[in-house]
Amino acid sequence: MSIISTDRPDPLIPARGVRHPDGERASAVTGPNLDLSFSKDLLHCAASAGRRMISTRLTIVAGLASVCVGLWIASAAAQTAPYRFKAGDLIEVWVAQQQTLNRQVVVRPDGRISLPLAGHIQAEGMTPEDLEAALMQRLQDYFKDRLNLTVMLSPAPEQEPPMIYVAGDIDQPGAYRYRSGMTVLHAVSVAGGFYRAEAEGDRDRDRAIEVRGEFEAAQRQLSSLLVREARLQAELNDRSSVELPAELAAHQDTAVKEILQREQALMDRRRQKYRGQIEAGELLRDTAKREVDAVGTQITTTENQIDLTSRRYEGIKSLVSKGIATDSRLLEIEIALEELKRTKSQQQADLTRAQSTVIQNTASLPDLQNQRQIELQSELQQTKRDLDEARARLETSHDRLSRFDGTRAASDRLNSAPASRHYVILRSEAGSIQEVPATELTQIREGDLIRVDPVPGASVVGARPRRDARRERS
């Protein structure tokens, strides 16, 4: 039995004197049953296989690393590559010094753009920085300072969706979005279906309700104006009550009675106000008359005092001439006499003012009556004009209501007729318009116009005349 001693355990134990792949030398003690030459060959083969395996692994790792580095470099290069303009791009040019040069331009199919002052420039293939430099070179001569110019790529406008067009005997003709696989029946469906007299009758009934409301409102306004006219006539004739007009005698409903009561209350308030103004004027006139009488009485009293004082003055004057009375006494009487004369003058002025007030108040009463008559006549004339307009509106509303009722009856008659239609597709091909006969299952294309026509000679439910084909939908 042989015992082999090594520095570390290893399944491949080289013979003595043979270098291990790890670079260590192994020592061995051979026994009598160990074939040393065979063991050396076996260990040498194992060492060579290990070296080849390690070399292969290193080669694979190196290859993978090279691939990763190449991909990273390509990705970095793709991320840092500058954008270059192409045909169809929308470019925004901004110039700080001149706002009128700010605009958006589209790269034409030939790759060029056009700008004021700069002219035509080949923009396709340029980066934004290249285009900025080219524009600054062309525009700098027009500015003293260094040009502040920026070129930006604007987002492309959204494309309009593909459309189809539906016309003819359908409910809602117009343009609709196209979807792949659509048929004629699809187009008719999105356009609201076939034109139906019943649907039109429903719309007419809605309008009839509206017109009926207008008609009833016009009736109420006419009734109100008729009662107002009667009230104004009563005020002009100084009557105390409003008489119901003959036109409303047969329509004494609640609304008319309320209008009559309202106008009667209004007339009572106006009469009360007018009577108050008349009474106030009469009161002022009577007060002024009493003042005239009082001032007249005062003047009479003052005149009597003046007469007595004058006679006394003459008597004292005679005594002074005889030496019986003094001059001072005569002077006192003269002063009193002058004071009475001044009082009389003031009283006469007061009398004149009082008489003037009486005249004014007396004249104001007829003026007040005349002014009221003028106002009533003016209101009456305006009411008559309003009545004419109300009668015209009422007649118009009645005609419209009758027309809608007639349309509804005609629609009801048409609803019993069988429906029959045929379809034509108007399609643009090679620069010309082609008419393509179609059925409900015919597939349509983008841009097609589908025309729905009633069959000539057939009665179609709700078929409308050609003059109504462009009717305005409410």
Side-chain angles (χ1 to χ4, degrees), residues 48 118 142 160 171 179 247 256 305 348 388:
S48 298
Y142 297 98
E160 294 184 0
D171 192 60
R179 293 175 179 83
E247 292 185 41
V256 173
Q305 291 177 352
Q348 287 178 340
D388 293 338

Side-chain angles (χ1 to χ4, degrees), residues 34-45:
L34 180 64
D35 189 350
L36 293 178
S37 61
F38 175 76
S39 299
K40 290 179 180 180
D41 294 338
L42 180 62
L43 292 175
H44 180 71
C45 291

Side-chain angles (χ1 to χ4, degrees), residues 115-130:
L115 287 172
L117 301 181
H120 306 289
I121 300 177
Q122 183 69 28
E124 186 176 8
M126 281 189 173
T127 65
E129 292 78 9
D130 295 339

Side-chain angles (χ1 to χ4, degrees), residues 34-163:
L34 180 64
D35 189 350
L36 293 178
S37 61
F38 175 76
S39 299
K40 290 179 180 180
D41 294 338
L42 180 62
L43 292 175
H44 180 71
C45 291
S48 298
R51 284 195 298 270
R52 288 195 298 272
M53 183 179 296
I54 293 173
S55 177
T56 301
R57 290 177 177 175
L58 291 175
T59 302
I60 293 173
V61 171
L64 290 174
S66 299
V67 172
C68 291
V69 171
L71 291 175
W72 177 80
I73 293 173
S75 176
Q79 291 178 357
T80 58
Y83 179 80
R84 298 183 180 277
F85 295 121
K86 60 183 182 296
D89 282 350
L90 182 63
I91 300 175
E92 184 172 355
V93 181
W94 181 81
V95 182
Q97 288 87 344
Q98 187 65 32
Q99 299 294 328
T100 57
L101 292 178
N102 297 346
R103 65 195 59 222
Q104 290 182 336
V105 293
V106 178
V107 181
R108 301 196 300 263
D110 60 358
R112 298 164 69 85
I113 62 173
S114 301
L115 287 172
L117 301 181
H120 306 289
I121 300 177
Q122 183 69 28
E124 186 176 8
M126 281 189 173
T127 65
E129 292 78 9
D130 295 339
L131 186 56
E132 285 182 6
L135 290 174
M136 289 179 66
Q137 182 179 2
R138 294 205 180 186
L139 296 175
Q140 186 60 59
D141 294 340
Y142 297 98
F143 300 91
K144 296 181 180 179
D145 301 331
R146 177 176 174 78
L147 192 60
N148 185 0
L149 184 145
T150 304
V151 172
M152 296 167 284
L153 177 65
S154 296
E158 296 183 358
Q159 292 184 345
E160 294 184 0
M163 306 295 289

Side-chain angles (χ1 to χ4, degrees), residues 36 76 324 329 362:
L36 293 178
I324 299 174
R329 181 61 179 167
T362 303

